[in-house]
Amino acid sequence: GAMDDALELSWGARCAGLAFFSLSIFSVALGAVLLLVRRWPNPWCGCHVCRAYLTGSWAKDFTNLADWYAHLLRESPTGTVQVHVLGCTVTANPANVEYMLKTRFDNFPKGKRFAALLGDLLGAGIFNVDGDAWRHQRKMASLQLGSVTVRSYAYKIVAQEVETRLLPALADAADEGKVIDLQDVFRRFAFDTVCKISFGLDPGLCAMRGAAASPLVWKMKRMLNIGSERELKKAIKLVDDLASAMILQRRTLGFDNTHDLLSRFMASDVAMDDKYLRDIIVSFLLAGRDTVASALTTLFIHLHKNPEVAAAIRAEAGGDKPSTYEHLMSLQYTHAVLFENMRLFPPVQFDSKFCAAADVLPDGTYVEGESRVMYHPYAMGRTPSIWGADYEAFRPDRWLTGPGGSFAPASLYKYPVFQAGLRVCLGKELAITEMKAVGVAVVKAFDVEVVGENGRSGWAPTFVPGLTASISGGLPVRIKRTTQNS
């Protein structure tokens, strides 16, 4: 009966949370291999960039590939480099970013190759299509995500999840004195939250015993069985089954008086078949889970290294003030902390487009038709010409240049963390609200200490290759109650 259906949905959602992690990693690894196989315009190029890329010698000096790219782009007079063996132009130049994402938007689509690589997973979802299909979904999604009803609905869900699930889970970890993987905790939290906001479905924060750092890593490795096409197919089938169950449940229960995004899409005047709805669902799940979890995880790395920043967030939030949506939005310094964290650790480190017809970028770089152009938010956040000589410093104050020391945003072309131009992230406000609510609630109640190897001073995280910045081995932390909360 209904109870069985609910249990099946809940179990499916839990499994899907794990499946998404494997999909994120596998799809990008597969993409990289296919890109090499399909597009090898100049396999014998001997320039220092191509040689370092092919031999992997960059790893001697840099923790992550993104750090090497940031170094190359800082050294380049134009802020642009070409990796000939990949047929790819990589840029950290804001003028080029604006040209690709706004001025010549139609000449820089996602492209058929990207669609083919992630087609099994994303289908015809908004992140995987161009042209009319993209315009249509974009219009519908912006109407929904921009509405006050959806925003207040989303905030209530986030606040409830923080209060009833996240904080008690962290309190248990504090009382038991055990080390937990904070990245995993935030993944589960973000997955639950996005399921509720998007589909009115409550998967239930999976049993927290799974968050112990060491067993989790091995279970994840066993589950991933990396390199196996069979596992990928199984994971995609799981996602398909979950999406089908959600759509069927909505059709059965009706969707006229509910605020979740799936219901609002289904209640619109546009005819949508189940496949189309499924693709939209998967896009929302991917967008709403990995990116928020990534930004929250790296935030606590910065707060561990800069305790004075955590103290300032605590002071601004005020211990006894009620956490209303309005109060949350008024926190200027906390807002600046979030943006400064994403400047140095953007959840999506790079984004690539397909150059349809040969073009010349504003910095004079010639780009061949049918080649790839990648803009690199991670490198841009580490560029002195954009952020000044102290670009490596974690300094939230750099954002507080508005009237009375209020938050002042940077141009999205200098800070394309949420993309920019016509494809700017529609979920930006929802994501910021969620990050702010979580960050403030956790900082008010707890001190989060990064432990183990990752606690070394000067330590920088190693990221797993993937669509979103995911820390290899997770983030082992010890939770302690703050003095005012003990």
Side-chain angles (χ1 to χ4, degrees):
M3 179 63 79
D4 292 339
D5 290 347
L7 284 171
E8 275 181 35
L9 267 175
S10 174
W11 172 242
R14 290 177 191 193
C15 296
L18 292 173
F20 266 99
F21 182 57
S22 63
L23 285 164
S24 300
I25 293 177
F26 190 93
S27 56
V28 173
L30 181 68
V33 171
L34 287 180
L35 190 65
L36 279 170
V37 170
R38 289 176 173 190
R39 180 153 198 90
W40 201 286
N42 191 352
W44 312 116
C45 178
C47 77
H48 74 286
V49 172
C50 291
R51 204 165 55 243
Y53 181 86
L54 287 173
T55 62
S57 65
W58 59 267
K60 289 203 291 265
D61 301 308
F62 301 95
T63 311
N64 297 292
L65 186 62
D67 292 311
W68 178 58
Y69 275 128
H71 164 75
L72 291 176
L73 292 163
R74 272 195 303 272
E75 300 239 305
S76 162
T78 57
T80 304
V81 295
Q82 289 184 305
V83 187
H84 308 106
V85 294
L86 292 178
C88 185
T89 302
V90 187
T91 189
N93 185 320
N96 291 347
V97 176
E98 182 168 6
Y99 187 75
M100 290 162 60
L101 299 183
K102 181 182 160 192
T103 317
R104 290 276 282 148
F105 175 77
D106 287 334
N107 197 40
F108 292 93
K110 281 276 182 191
K112 290 195 173 65
R113 284 198 192 99
F114 182 90
L117 291 179
L118 295 181
D120 284 354
L121 172 61
L122 296 179
I126 192 166
F127 303 117
N128 210 36
V129 289
D130 292 303
D132 290 343
W134 168 77
R135 282 188 186 89
H136 167 65
Q137 281 188 51
R138 171 102 190 160
K139 188 176 173 187
M140 295 219 26
S142 63
L143 286 173
Q144 307 302 359
L145 290 171
S147 83
V148 178
T149 322
V150 167
R151 294 234 180 123
S152 61
Y153 167 77
Y155 173 69
K156 281 185 193 131
I157 285 173
V158 170
Q160 185 187 6
E161 288 286 304
V162 167
E163 209 52 47
T164 61
R165 288 193 170 142
L166 181 65
L167 295 182
L170 294 176
D172 286 350
D175 295 342
E176 291 169 30
K178 66 179 180 183
V179 171
I180 58 169
D181 176 2
L182 194 63
Q183 177 169 264
D184 180 61
V185 172
F186 285 145
R187 277 219 182 97
R188 292 162 190 258
F189 172 83
F191 185 71
D192 278 12
T193 309
V194 79
C195 279
K196 272 194 166 177
I197 292 171
S198 303
F199 324 116
L201 169 78
D202 181 9
L205 200 67
C206 317
M208 289 304 297
R209 65 178 183 275
S214 48
L216 180 92
V217 173
W218 108 185
K219 282 179 189 163
M220 200 62 97
K221 282 180 179 158
R222 185 184 66 178
M223 185 209 76
L224 279 177
N225 191 9
I226 292 168
S228 160
E229 181 76 18
R230 190 170 49 87
E231 289 298 310
L232 181 70
K233 284 200 177 111
K234 268 162 63 179
I236 287 172
K237 182 174 187 315
L238 194 63
V239 171
D240 284 343
D241 291 347
L242 177 66
S244 302
M246 284 180 190
I247 293 163
L248 183 65
Q249 184 192 52
R250 274 283 164 262
R251 289 207 196 285
T252 312
L253 298 176
F255 42 76
D256 290 340
N257 298 312
T258 42
H259 294 306
D260 63 88
L261 293 169
L262 175 63
S263 300
R264 292 172 76 93
F265 268 94
M266 290 174 82
S268 71
D269 300 333
V270 184
M272 296 187 187
D273 61 22
D274 286 4
K275 168 77 173 75
Y276 193 58
L277 284 167
R278 175 261 180 220
D279 295 343
I280 292 172
I281 285 174
V282 174
S283 292
F284 273 97
L285 281 178
L286 269 180
R289 190 196 78 141
D290 290 1
T291 49
V292 168
S294 171
L296 284 171
T297 305
T298 54
L299 172 66
F300 282 90
I301 294 174
H302 277 134
L303 294 182
H304 170 73
K305 289 182 176 180
N306 302 274
E308 73 287 354
V309 174
I313 291 176
R314 218 168 269 152
E316 184 183 48
D320 48 356
K321 287 215 180 118
S323 276
T324 61
Y325 177 75
E326 289 69 28
H327 172 60
L328 202 64
M329 290 302 104
S330 72
L331 304 177
Q332 300 292 304
Y333 180 78
T334 304
H335 206 87
V337 172
L338 291 179
F339 273 66
E340 181 70 344
N341 172 57
M342 290 186 289
R343 174 180 75 83
L344 290 164
F345 290 129
V348 179
Q349 295 183 341
F350 62 89
D351 188 27
S352 70
K353 305 290 183 198
F354 175 76
C355 179
D359 211 333
V360 178
L361 301 178
D363 67 2
T365 305
Y366 173 75
V367 182
E368 285 183 15
E370 301 195 7
S371 65
R372 293 216 71 83
V373 186
M374 183 191 289
Y375 66 93
H376 212 291
Y378 184 95
M380 293 176 81
R382 290 165 158 72
T383 300
S385 58
I386 301 176
W387 297 103
D390 69 344
Y391 68 90
E392 287 179 289
F394 183 77
R395 196 169 62 74
D397 292 5
R398 73 174 81 238
W399 296 88
L400 299 174
T401 56
S406 61
F407 175 85
S411 154
L412 289 179
Y413 303 109
K414 290 181 175 178
Y415 183 82
V417 167
F418 295 97
Q419 287 216 53
L422 293 169
R423 271 194 188 258
V424 70
C425 172
L426 290 172
K428 177 182 172 185
E429 299 307 323
L430 286 183
I432 290 169
T433 302
E434 187 173 346
M435 288 187 263
K436 223 175 186 178
V438 172
V440 168
V442 174
V443 166
K444 273 168 78 169
F446 305 105
D447 285 313
V448 178
E449 180 197 350
V450 178
V451 298
E453 178 199 13
N454 296 349
R456 295 197 320 265
S457 62
W459 165 82
T462 303
F463 292 103
V464 180
L467 282 173
T468 41
S470 175
I471 298 171
S472 175
L475 188 70
V477 300
R478 202 170 262 116
I479 308 289
K480 293 176 181 165
R481 290 176 184 267
T482 58
T483 43
Q484 66 199 53
N485 190 50
S486 48

